[in-house]
Amino acid sequence: MDEMDFIFESPQKKDVDTEALKLATQSVQNLEQLRLKVKSSAVKYSDGVSVKIRSTLDELRDIKSEVEGSCENYVAMSINEHPLQDLRQLTLMHVPSSLTSEVKDKFTALLSQAFEGRAKKVLSAVLLTCPWYAASQRERGEQARHNIILVVYLGHDDQFFTPANQHNQIEGKVIDLGWLQAVELSHFGHFLAKGRTRFVESVLNDPQAVLYASPEWTALTTTLQHTQVMGCRGFVEASRGQAVGGISKKRKTGGLKLKDTTTFFQLCESCRLLHHLERIVAGRSVCCQVEEDDLSDIARRALGVLKSMYQEGGGTKHEFFPILVKWKEEIDPQLKSFQFTKAAGLEQIIGGWMATTRLQGRQLIPLKCIEDQHSSLVKLMDMIGGPVRKMEPSQILLVARAGSYMYGLSTPDSDVDYMVVYAEPNMNVLSACNHLTESVENRGPNKQFEYGAYEARLFCEMVMKASVVILELIFTDSHEYMSPAWKALSEKKSQFVTERGIQQYLGLIKNNFNMIESQKHIGSGRDRKLFYQIFHKLDSVNYMARGDCPPVRCEGEIRDFIMRVRTQPLEGDLERETLHQLARAKFNTLVDDLSRRENRLAENTDYRLMLNWLKAVRGLGS
């Protein structure tokens, strides 16, 4: 296969104010010099001075990254705030029965304004209520007091295929204003498959409560049966556990008692959950409107007491709590023989719907492996074993023999250490109802054969963090197997030489110094390794400071010296204290030289470079 078959779009160059960049660079460099001066000064400054310098230095680096344009990163979802006040007022004025076509049009218009230019598409908007709270109120305004609009939207590709860490992604996919909750397609599908009650209700709700439904949403709601989503273990167990457990605590003498902080609305919510359970065992869908004639005896009793409590001031919440406990005790025996929905079947339906909705008719470009290396790649995968052996060869982006072998510093006693970068099948990513495993490691001090395998998204995240071991994979010119996707990325390796990368290398060196100076490893092979890593990384930083990719594989004098440190007795010119002084002197000189540079590298790796590469790996080629 032609290696150029994998193409990803290079980011456009950003306009830079050269004078502003020069001033930002000088500011950082001046403070770097001040930091070193304070550290070495005969005058003793308080610890607070060093803390202020470090925090200010971080801020100045951020400012420079803004000026040069290397600060771009994941942008969380947000909505336009202008229509929110009118939208909230509508939400707190209406119940499903008052939603005329004209009112729904008003909702739709305001929602369109709120999400215009922010989401790729709004899939649905549903007015969620607590039927039990509404049934206890006389006035419509009171009935609507705790209404929620749940919006499901389709995010842009740049938000879904981002290399950002998963915690930031989750936070960026949810907007929660209390009365308005907007969730991205993947977040919605994930929790719908797990039976999150509000998400289940949004799918099974009365059509009258649906403010807007896209064709995609209609396709989902007509495909899913209520017994499938209500019968999943998560929905049943959440309803059962939260109905009483969420508002109570254990007595010291045994049993449960109501929390004093429990509100009237929370009691109504407990009734809603218990009513769900009743209907689950009866094979009926969720209740969107409470009708007394349709309730069991204990449910009718609960509704009567709720009405009395709110409308007439009769009874107290502590007197009401035993009704909830008794109601739950009546349902529990019926749940013992309940047959839960098989998760795999439900996830297949929801996952397939998510993938189809995400693609919007587009076709993915499949990854391919290099044909004339197919058999050798399969042998490598078999040798590494574990989950790697079970992958398709086309999933493998890189197989590298890492560690001292990659540095050209291995000995016959060196461990065998492989690094694998792979891509999860694209349809698995698009249809995932659970968090996908992104790394597999087989490492340990007693293991002669080690490996680490990292999924493409996690790999990109580690690149953005400038992980030393990951950068070294990119800087190395040849590996055991390099896919077209890897070669396309490797061609741009000069763009990964950054100030963040230098800081990560220096951080590794400092950590090694700390372990050496702790003297915990004197006389061991670990002690030698700490020293040789310092000299190897110092050499790399010298290259990076000039803007060059470091030669990860050692050659010439530096290799001869490091191999002596690694294999010969630590005596004479290699005596431990002599090595320590030499390493410290080289480190101090390097740090001083870095602070005196007139120019700096880009502070960060170009986020859009990694984003575009990841999107291409996912089959969205340019």
Side-chain angles (χ1 to χ4, degrees):
M1 186 182 84
D2 189 340
E3 294 176 9
M4 296 305 294
D5 280 357
F6 185 92
I7 300 174
F8 72 103
E9 182 181 353
S10 295
Q12 294 182 350
K13 290 187 177 179
K14 305 171 181 69
D15 293 331
V16 176
D17 184 331
T18 55
E19 184 62 25
L21 179 57
K22 181 179 179 180
L23 292 171
T25 300
Q26 289 174 352
S27 298
V28 178
Q29 293 300 96
N30 287 339
L31 195 59
E32 287 276 20
Q33 292 178 35
L34 176 61
R35 180 177 65 85
L36 294 178
K37 181 63 179 174
V38 167
K39 187 176 181 180
S40 61
S41 176
V43 176
K44 296 303 178 183
Y45 297 93
S46 68
D47 292 340
V49 172
S50 296
V51 171
K52 290 176 182 177
I53 289 176
R54 284 197 298 271
S55 63
T56 306
L57 193 52
D58 287 340
E59 290 178 0
L60 288 177
R61 287 170 180 160
D62 288 343
I63 292 171
K64 177 177 173 285
S65 71
E66 288 271 1
V67 173
E68 71 192 5
S70 73
C71 64
E72 186 176 2
N73 210 321
Y74 171 71
V75 178
M77 174 64 177
S78 63
I79 56 178
N80 298 313
E81 295 184 1
H82 177 70
L84 293 185
Q85 184 174 349
D86 290 341
L87 188 58
R88 185 172 187 268
Q89 187 176 358
L90 268 183
T91 303
L92 300 181
M93 283 174 56
H94 289 279
V95 293
S97 60
S98 68
L99 292 174
T100 62
S101 297
E102 183 180 354
V103 172
K104 288 187 178 182
D105 288 343
K106 289 181 181 178
F107 269 108
T108 302
L110 291 170
L111 286 168
S112 296
Q113 292 177 38
F115 287 86
E116 184 178 10
R118 306 303 177 98
K120 194 169 187 178
K121 187 174 187 178
V122 173
L123 300 174
S124 72
V126 181
L127 185 67
L128 295 179
T129 66
C130 176
W132 284 79
Y133 181 81
S136 69
Q137 313 299 307
R138 289 196 180 99
E139 301 295 330
R140 188 212 295 175
E142 280 299 310
Q143 294 171 3
R145 186 177 174 188
H146 295 284
N147 283 357
I148 296 172
I149 302 178
L150 178 64
V151 177
V152 181
Y153 70 90
L154 174 62
H156 292 285
D157 289 344
D158 287 2
Q159 291 175 317
F160 179 73
F161 294 104
T162 175
N165 72 67
Q166 291 185 337
H167 177 72
N168 287 351
Q169 286 189 52
I170 292 171
E171 286 193 337
K173 291 176 180 177
V174 178
I175 296 172
D176 189 349
L177 303 180
W179 61 273
L180 173 66
Q181 295 180 5
V183 295
E184 210 275 335
L185 168 68
S186 58
H187 184 88
F188 172 78
H190 177 88
F191 285 103
L192 177 62
K194 286 181 168 39
R196 179 73 63 87
T197 55
R198 282 309 200 182
F199 291 178
V200 171
E201 289 168 1
S202 71
V203 172
L204 302 179
N205 217 317
D206 186 338
Q208 182 62 28
V210 179
L211 303 171
Y212 171 76
S214 65
E216 294 89 347
W217 183 260
T218 302
L220 175 67
T221 56
T222 54
T223 301
L224 279 177
Q225 302 296 316
H226 73 266
T227 51
Q228 291 174 305
V229 281
M230 291 179 67
C232 77
R233 183 180 292 274
F235 184 76
V236 174
E237 293 185 347
S239 298
R240 181 179 179 275
Q242 295 171 13
V244 173
I247 60 173
S248 63
K249 59 183 179 181
K250 290 184 178 180
R251 296 178 182 273
K252 292 182 179 179
T253 56
L256 297 173
K257 67 175 182 178
L258 187 70
K259 293 179 182 176
D260 292 335
T261 55
T262 302
T263 64
F264 180 82
F265 177 68
Q266 287 175 317
L267 295 178
C268 295
E269 289 279 86
S270 292
C271 290
R272 175 176 64 86
L273 296 175
L274 289 170
H275 198 198
H276 283 335
L277 292 175
E278 267 196 354
R279 296 176 74 86
I280 287 168
V281 296
R284 303 174 68 187
S285 186
V286 297
C287 173
C288 304
Q289 187 173 349
V290 175
E291 300 287 351
E292 286 195 49
D293 294 342
D294 194 39
L295 298 178
S296 64
D297 290 342
I298 193 165
R300 192 178 299 114
R301 180 184 169 198
L303 180 60
V305 175
L306 286 176
K307 287 182 176 181
S308 175
M309 286 173 64
Y310 196 85
Q311 298 177 11
E312 302 169 11
T316 67
K317 59 185 181 182
H318 289 280
E319 292 172 343
F320 182 73
F321 182 64
I323 299 176
L324 294 178
V325 174
K326 183 172 182 1
W327 192 356
K328 179 178 176 295
E329 289 173 349
E330 288 187 7
I331 298 172
D332 279 345
Q334 302 174 64
L335 291 174
K336 289 183 178 179
S337 58
F338 184 78
Q339 295 296 312
F340 294 107
T341 299
K342 291 184 178 179
L346 181 60
E347 290 173 3
Q348 184 176 9
I349 294 172
I350 296 172
W353 172 74
M354 285 197 296
T356 301
T357 302
R358 179 81 59 193
L359 288 174
Q360 295 284 290
R362 294 175 294 177
Q363 297 296 315
L364 298 176
I365 302 171
L367 286 171
K368 298 178 182 178
C369 66
I370 300 175
E371 292 180 4
D372 59 5
Q373 295 185 32
H374 183 276
S375 60
S376 60
L377 174 58
V378 171
K379 289 180 181 177
L380 272 174
M381 294 167 66
D382 285 340
M383 180 183 66
I384 293 170
V388 175
R389 179 187 288 131
K390 299 176 183 178
M391 295 178 186
E392 292 294 325
S394 59
Q395 290 180 248
I396 305 299
L397 305 178
L398 171 77
V399 179
R401 179 92 179 266
S404 59
Y405 179 86
M406 188 169 68
Y407 304 149
L409 301 172
S410 60
T411 67
D413 297 329
S414 294
D415 296 336
V416 179
D417 186 0
Y418 277 92
M419 297 272 282
V420 178
V421 180
Y422 69 94
E424 187 73 24
N426 293 328
M427 291 306 294
N428 287 6
V429 174
L430 292 168
S431 63
C433 292
N434 297 290
H435 293 305
L436 298 171
T437 299
E438 291 191 319
S439 66
V440 181
E441 294 191 339
N442 180 57
R443 301 189 186 281
N446 300 320
K447 292 183 178 179
Q448 188 69 16
F449 184 91
E450 300 180 296
Y451 71 84
Y454 307 97
E455 209 279 325
R457 191 217 62 81
L458 179 59
F459 163 76
C460 290
E461 181 186 338
M462 291 191 288
V463 170
M464 294 304 301
K465 291 178 179 177
S467 164
V468 173
V469 294
I470 297 299
L471 289 181
E472 288 179 337
L473 292 178
I474 297 174
F475 293 145
T476 302
D477 290 324
S478 62
H479 292 293
E480 302 294 300
Y481 173 78
M482 298 184 293
S483 69
W486 182 267
K487 290 183 178 181
L489 185 66
S490 180
E491 287 176 0
K492 304 181 186 299
K493 62 183 177 182
S494 62
Q495 297 186 44
F496 299 97
V497 181
T498 64
E499 294 296 330
R500 183 183 289 270
I502 287 177
Q503 290 302 315
Q504 290 296 321
Y505 273 76
L506 294 178
L508 188 153
I509 293 168
K510 291 176 186 176
N511 186 60
N512 279 22
F513 272 127
N514 289 337
M515 286 191 282
I516 287 170
E517 289 160 7
S518 72
Q519 300 189 346
K520 291 181 180 179
H521 305 286
I522 290 180
S524 69
R526 177 63 173 159
D527 207 35
R528 294 173 179 275
K529 189 172 184 178
L530 292 171
F531 274 114
Y532 97 65
Q533 283 182 340
I534 287 176
F535 289 111
H536 180 256
K537 305 314 176 197
L538 286 171
D539 185 61
S540 293
V541 175
N542 276 309
Y543 279 90
M544 296 171 74
R546 301 192 297 265
D548 298 329
C549 294
V552 178
R553 190 172 186 85
C554 292
E555 294 180 350
E557 292 182 3
I558 183 66
R559 181 184 184 278
D560 293 341
F561 174 74
I562 292 177
M563 287 302 290
R564 286 182 63 211
V565 173
R566 182 154 200 210
T567 60
Q568 294 185 16
L570 297 184
E571 56 189 33
D573 64 331
L574 297 182
E575 196 269 331
R576 191 176 188 276
E577 186 56 34
T578 302
L579 279 180
H580 183 230
Q581 292 176 3
L582 176 62
R584 270 293 179 190
K586 286 180 173 291
F587 177 76
N588 292 338
T589 299
L590 175 59
V591 171
D592 187 62
D593 289 344
L594 287 172
S595 73
R596 297 183 186 282
R597 291 174 295 165
E598 292 186 4
N599 299 304
R600 287 174 67 90
L601 306 169
E603 297 298 318
N604 305 298
T605 297
D606 193 327
Y607 170 78
R608 190 150 291 276
L609 174 71
M610 297 311 301
L611 172 65
N612 290 348
W613 183 77
L614 183 58
K615 285 165 63 178
V617 167
R618 299 296 189 218
L620 298 174
S622 57

